[in-house]
Amino acid sequence: MHRSALLVTHTGRQDSTQHARAVAADLIAAGFEVRVVAEEAADLDLPEVKPVSGLAAADGVEIVFALGGDGTFLRAAELARPGAAPLLGINLGKVGFLAEAEIRDLDQAVRDVVARTYTVESRLTLDVVAEVDGEPIGESWALNEVSVEKGQRAHMLEVLVDVDGRPLSRYGCDGVICATPTGSTAYAFSAGGPVVWPEVEALLLVPISAHALFSRPLVTAPTSTFVITVDPYTSFATLCCDGRRVFDLPPGARVTVRRGVLPVRIVRLRHEPFTDRLVAKFELPVEGWRGTRR
């Protein structure tokens, strides 16, 4: 039976390129057709691979490998999501919260894929539409978060936030983050939001540096809809999806965020409790800051 995989890596780093070559060689030896992003093909210099491009790059593949940090994972998710291809992250970066395996596990991860001894879980995403006077000016999606932020450093952003069709609060702030449970350990976490276990069905709303008496992060139902309206008398703002897709928002723009129609399917090689991942990635002091008491 025909088997195929797509490799996405950070070719700007020599070690990432070397690891990608090793993965490609092992998969080809196991009978896989190996695709690579066309822009990365020259750096990988592997005549046996098939260069592909566009949003159909992962159509029909059995699995997508993301070799790099969280940025590489999010880039690979753009290709994996349209065709519902499972996505496996191998961390070659620093924290790599989205990755399933570390570089020391690379050989075993490839063997698990070849043997099909892995499971797949669906992660909630966000769909977002930006409009001005009812006319769309931008449309995108996010796995981690959608943020509306001030466009000028010296100016505060004024926004009105609605939840489920009802006005919640008006903020003078640096911005507002709408996040998924997957993204709760990313930008939303840095802005003071809660950590939410990935299997929890929920949406998060986190104001950034809000000048307001009530600026708590909120956790809502997964069916909720957020509307963020940029005050018509404020300065320009920026809409950013996963730090990758950016749109300019003029005063008066209206941004609607809701649960995404398409999830991202993430490969799990082992059933590791999320608590253990949290402790390992953030190096939490499980014995306390002062050590174990006797």
Side-chain angles (χ1 to χ4, degrees):
M1 187 175 84
H2 176 75
R3 305 182 71 183
S4 59
L6 171 65
L7 294 188
V8 181
T9 190
H10 191 325
T11 54
R13 295 178 52 182
Q14 185 175 1
D15 58 341
S16 298
T17 304
Q18 292 173 344
H19 292 310
R21 289 196 189 107
V23 171
D26 289 345
L27 289 173
I28 290 170
F32 277 73
E33 173 197 75
V34 176
R35 306 179 192 177
V36 297
V37 177
E39 292 79 6
E40 300 173 359
D43 290 329
L44 292 174
D45 191 24
L46 291 169
E48 302 93 342
V49 301
K50 178 182 177 181
V52 292
S53 60
L55 293 180
D59 280 4
V61 301
E62 181 178 320
I63 195 166
V64 176
F65 280 83
L67 285 81
D70 284 342
T72 301
F73 189 97
L74 291 170
R75 182 162 58 91
E78 295 175 2
L79 302 175
R81 181 176 180 252
L87 176 57
L88 172 59
I90 308 293
N91 180 34
L92 306 182
K94 295 181 180 178
V95 178
F97 216 104
L98 294 170
E100 175 63 12
E102 301 297 323
I103 184 58
R104 63 180 178 272
D105 307 316
L106 183 57
D107 292 341
Q108 183 60 52
V110 174
R111 287 193 291 268
D112 289 341
V113 168
V114 172
R116 293 194 177 95
T117 55
Y118 60 87
T119 59
V120 178
E121 64 183 34
S122 293
R123 293 290 183 89
L124 182 152
T125 60
L126 300 173
D127 284 344
V128 56
V129 177
E131 302 170 300
V132 174
D133 296 329
E135 294 295 323
I137 60 170
E139 185 173 351
S140 192
W141 71 281
L143 172 61
N144 271 352
E145 76 280 313
V146 170
S147 63
V148 175
E149 301 178 61
K150 63 182 185 181
Q152 299 179 12
R153 179 178 177 84
H155 292 198
M156 183 178 290
L157 179 66
E158 298 282 347
V159 296
L160 173 65
V161 175
D162 293 353
V163 178
D164 296 331
R166 304 300 300 165
L168 173 72
S169 188
R170 187 178 298 275
Y171 297 110
C173 57
D174 284 353
V176 177
I177 300 169
C178 305
T180 67
T182 300
S184 71
T185 53
Y187 192 6
F189 175 83
S190 299
V195 173
V196 180
W197 264 233
E199 59 268 29
V200 174
E201 296 274 292
L203 303 182
L204 286 72
L205 190 144
V206 184
I208 308 172
S209 302
H211 193 262
L213 293 176
F214 180 82
S215 59
R216 300 294 186 184
L218 305 177
V219 179
T220 72
T223 53
S224 287
T225 298
F226 302 142
V227 176
I228 302 166
T229 304
V230 179
D231 193 281
Y233 304 105
T234 194
S235 59
F236 277 76
T238 298
L239 169 65
C240 188
C241 302
D242 282 342
R244 294 190 47 79
R245 297 169 292 280
V246 181
F247 305 86
D248 291 330
L249 297 175
R254 176 184 172 99
V255 176
T256 302
V257 182
R258 55 173 54 92
R259 181 176 187 158
V261 174
L262 295 177
V264 169
R265 303 178 70 224
I266 293 182
V267 170
R268 298 299 305 274
L269 299 176
R270 56 192 180 278
H271 294 286
E272 175 190 45
F274 182 71
T275 306
D276 292 351
R277 179 180 294 249
L278 203 62
V279 169
K281 295 294 185 180
F282 287 157
E283 298 182 353
L284 301 180
V286 295
E287 295 183 354
W289 296 105
R290 294 177 295 171
T292 304
R293 295 183 64 184
R294 296 182 179 177

